Amino acid sequence: MTTPSAAAPARLGTAVIGTGRPPWWAVALGGVVTVLVTVNLLSRGVLERMDLSVSEVVSDWGLRDSAAYWPVWVLTQAGGRVTILVVLLGLVGWIGWRRRSLLPVLRVLVALALLTAVVYAFKYGTGRTAPAYPGSFFHRDGASYPSGHVANAVLMWGVARWQAVQYGLPARAQRVLWALAVVGPVVTGVAMVALNFHWVTDALVGGAVGVVLLGVVHALDATLLSRSVRARGRRTAA
């Protein structure tokens, strides 16, 4: 007889949506977009000129110096690490306690480690300055590219949705997390650009990187994490 963690996760309810694992073509597209946009920016191509034009427009809006600043800033927190981690800790903590499994927590930790390593490698590797700096430049003081908030929203809300579906949380919870996984990155990116915190390409590549990393976490889970947890459960049961 096996323990719950030794087998595939038993559902607590019915799945009403998919787990949100990106198809291979979406992961490949995310990688291609990341490479092409990065090369274009580093060669001072058309995308940099587009970024500068959009930044001039949103600067004229003056949202950062208006009463709209705080409402728009709140929207950026749909991709804030603290915001998402508070939700995730409650979610995976409850699931882990209910299922007596560390797998949900391991998935979050792996996703967080990959996100931090990859995003900051890009930030410090390219050194792109934020729109608040006078002009777009690439040097050691820049850390704007890509948007960590957008990448965070894609990856971590995606992981939250995945856990909610796989472990059969109530239908309402699954749908709420689906909405956050889909709408959260878009709202975050638009708000960041509207406040002139990030360039358009920062947000675009942040989303692309998030999709790639979500695919990587799903792949690591299928090939390593879930198998290791099930094997450990079987050894414990034996």
Side-chain angles (χ1 to χ4, degrees), residues 157-180:
W157 284 131
V159 170
R161 165 191 173 174
W162 172 18
Q163 307 310 295
V165 174
Q166 187 170 28
Y167 288 95
L169 267 61
R172 181 175 296 181
Q174 293 183 39
R175 292 192 177 100
V176 167
L177 289 171
W178 171 85
L180 287 170

Side-chain angles (χ1 to χ4, degrees), residues 6-230:
R11 297 189 184 280
L12 303 178
T14 303
V16 297
I17 58 174
T19 60
R21 179 173 184 169
W24 69 266
W25 59 263
V27 176
L29 180 61
V32 169
V33 168
T34 299
V35 171
L36 292 181
V37 173
T38 303
V39 170
N40 186 271
L41 290 174
L42 292 175
S43 62
R44 318 310 291 261
V46 64
L47 293 179
E48 183 182 45
R49 294 192 292 275
M50 180 269 294
D51 277 340
L52 289 166
S53 297
V54 173
S55 180
E56 288 178 6
V57 172
V58 298
S59 293
D60 291 339
W61 293 350
L63 294 181
R64 293 176 71 166
D65 299 314
S66 72
Y69 173 80
W70 286 110
V72 178
W73 179 86
V74 168
L75 296 179
T76 68
Q77 297 311 296
R81 181 168 294 192
V82 173
T83 303
I84 299 177
L85 283 181
V86 167
V87 176
L88 271 173
L89 285 175
L91 176 67
V92 302
W94 184 82
I95 292 174
W97 171 79
R98 186 75 180 267
R99 294 286 298 117
R100 301 295 190 271
S101 173
L102 290 176
L103 183 57
V105 177
L106 289 175
R107 288 168 174 165
V108 171
L109 292 177
V110 169
L112 190 59
L114 284 173
L115 177 72
T116 302
V118 172
V119 168
Y120 280 97
F122 266 99
K123 282 183 178 291
Y124 295 127
T126 59
R128 192 184 194 190
T129 55
Y133 197 91
S136 172
F137 298 97
F138 297 87
H139 57 64
R140 64 182 182 180
D141 294 326
S144 181
Y145 179 83
S147 168
H149 275 64
V150 176
N152 190 47
V154 173
L155 177 59
M156 304 311 286
W157 284 131
V159 170
R161 165 191 173 174
W162 172 18
Q163 307 310 295
V165 174
Q166 187 170 28
Y167 288 95
L169 267 61
R172 181 175 296 181
Q174 293 183 39
R175 292 192 177 100
V176 167
L177 289 171
W178 171 85
L180 287 170
V182 173
V183 179
V186 177
V187 169
T188 301
V190 170
M192 282 288 188
V193 172
L195 290 177
N196 230 12
F197 286 166
H198 275 292
W199 308 101
V200 172
T201 51
D202 292 349
L204 174 63
V205 174
V209 168
V211 170
V212 172
L213 292 181
L214 183 58
V216 170
V217 174
H218 272 278
L220 286 174
D221 179 74
T223 59
L224 181 62
L225 297 178
S226 289
R227 289 185 179 183
S228 298
V229 170
R230 286 196 292 269

